[in-house]
Amino acid sequence: MRNQNISYYYNRLSIAEKLIVFNVAVFIVGGLINLLFALPVNNGVDRWFRIPKDFFDFLTQPWSLITYSFFHSGIGHIFWNMIMLYFAGRIFLNLFDKKRFINVYFLGVIFGGMIFLLSYNIFPALIGQNTSLIGASAGVTAVLIFICTYLPNQEVRVIFFNIKLWHIGVLVVLMDLIQISLGNNIGGGLAHIGGAALGYYYASQLPKGNDIGSWFSNLLDSFRNMFKGKEKKASMKTVYRRESKSSKTTRSYDKESRQRKIDAILDKISKSGYESLSKAEKDFLFKAGKED
């Protein structure tokens, strides 16, 4: 009964909240394994999942381009990443569906990892350093900068005062650039910048009708279909009813009309901010996001 309750509450979580749960679970389990098997800090269970700085080492574990994002170096590291993911994810998922969130998050993870890997194999000052990359920061930064770009003038409450999203975005990027220039956490900072660049470009292309992450959704759908078992054929004869032409036309029109309304609302948000929407528009957008 308790397992059913846990499953019920987990299924009700948003995709951002599920990512948080998964990251925290990996952090706890990984920490327990390192503790029980007395594994050294720099050579723990995450050594098979982090991105190594050497390109040829990376070729032996290419999956690390994704898996590195699920491991963190300490409580402070995972705490701030998950806090940022929670708040940025809430704003994002009020506007878009979970597929687009997954696109932005994981493309940010991938692009941030690639920037890290290329930098440590191109720039002379970094080639000799012994380091690796873990943490969800690139994906989190991609989501944050996406919403800061898409809704630049939207104000959010920070402790005792309101601040526009574009101010937050600029501050986050500046802090990463300062950290890099001071020689602190260069690898992580480079990954953050990569995630930020992806989030900015993704959001700036959407109003032009270009969803640069659609290929990633199609790729995930292909993998999902590949591993999905074939449905068992029913022993009873199945009777198919041909759908009338008028029914198809009506359904197509309803779908196009719904999409036009969503596009109009999103355009209004990009120009005047989320708070400019009426209650009916907010409810419609929320329901549309749940249905997709």
Side-chain angles (χ1 to χ4, degrees):
M1 186 68 178
R2 182 173 297 176
N3 290 337
Q4 291 179 346
N5 288 335
I6 293 174
S7 177
Y8 171 75
Y9 286 116
Y10 180 78
N11 290 331
R12 293 191 63 185
L13 297 177
S14 70
I15 183 62
E17 292 167 340
K18 287 179 179 178
L19 273 172
I20 292 171
V21 170
F22 189 77
N23 274 276
V24 172
V26 168
F27 181 76
I28 294 173
V29 172
L32 286 174
I33 292 175
N34 290 341
L35 178 65
L36 295 176
F37 288 90
L39 298 176
V41 175
N42 295 327
N43 199 29
V45 68
D46 64 329
R47 66 181 181 273
W48 292 296
F49 303 101
R50 64 177 69 165
I51 297 183
K53 67 99 176 178
D54 186 80
F55 182 74
F56 293 102
D57 289 340
F58 167 74
L59 291 179
T60 65
Q61 51 183 71
W63 57 83
S64 62
L65 195 59
I66 294 288
T67 58
Y68 84 91
S69 66
F70 297 117
F71 292 84
H72 293 80
S73 60
I75 293 178
H77 190 197
I78 190 173
F79 176 80
W80 289 112
N81 271 346
M82 297 303 102
I83 286 291
M84 287 179 62
L85 180 59
Y86 176 75
F87 287 107
R90 285 186 63 184
I91 299 174
F92 190 107
L93 292 169
N94 274 332
L95 304 173
F96 301 102
D97 59 23
K98 67 179 182 181
K99 276 192 173 183
R100 187 158 289 163
F101 178 89
I102 290 172
N103 289 349
V104 175
Y105 181 85
F106 282 106
L107 287 177
V109 166
I110 293 170
F111 194 65
M114 290 173 62
I115 292 295
F116 166 84
L117 190 61
L118 289 172
S119 297
Y120 276 86
N121 286 273
I122 292 176
F123 299 121
L126 302 178
I127 290 177
Q129 297 189 21
N130 183 24
T131 187
S132 58
L133 181 65
I134 56 173
S137 302
V140 174
T141 304
V143 173
L144 177 63
I145 298 302
F146 178 97
I147 61 172
C148 292
T149 303
Y150 198 83
L151 300 173
N153 295 315
Q154 176 67 37
E155 293 188 348
V156 294
R157 190 74 173 177
V158 179
I159 308 178
F160 301 116
F161 54 90
N162 293 338
I163 184 171
K164 292 184 177 180
L165 283 175
W166 78 266
H167 293 155
I168 295 177
V170 169
L171 179 63
V172 168
V173 172
L174 280 178
M175 288 177 64
D176 285 324
L177 290 174
I178 291 171
Q179 289 290 321
I180 293 173
S181 65
L182 294 176
N184 300 328
N185 189 28
I186 297 177
L190 290 169
H192 296 179
I193 296 301
L198 185 284
Y200 173 81
Y201 185 67
Y202 202 131
S204 63
Q205 289 299 303
L206 270 186
K208 301 175 184 178
N210 301 325
D211 185 349
I212 66 170
S214 58
W215 67 270
F216 189 71
S217 288
N218 294 335
L219 181 64
L220 292 180
D221 289 339
S222 298
F223 277 116
R224 193 177 296 114
N225 294 332
M226 185 186 303
F227 291 103
K228 186 184 295 182
K230 293 183 179 180
E231 296 181 359
K232 294 181 179 180
K233 294 183 178 180
S235 57
M236 298 180 63
K237 183 179 179 181
T238 304
V239 178
Y240 297 93
R241 184 176 62 182
R242 185 183 298 273
E243 188 177 15
S244 67
K245 186 176 180 180
S246 60
S247 176
K248 289 182 179 179
T249 303
T250 301
R251 188 174 63 181
S252 177
Y253 176 80
D254 290 343
K255 186 176 180 180
E256 291 177 2
S257 177
R258 175 175 172 271
Q259 188 59 50
R260 283 197 298 270
K261 187 172 181 180
I262 292 174
D263 292 340
I265 293 174
L266 293 178
D267 185 57
K268 183 177 179 181
I269 292 172
S270 65
K271 292 178 180 178
S272 308
Y274 182 74
E275 295 304 323
S276 66
L277 299 184
S278 65
K279 184 179 184 303
E281 289 172 328
K282 291 179 180 178
D283 291 342
F284 177 83
L285 195 62
F286 179 77
K287 291 177 181 177
K290 289 292 185 182
E291 291 171 1
D292 289 330

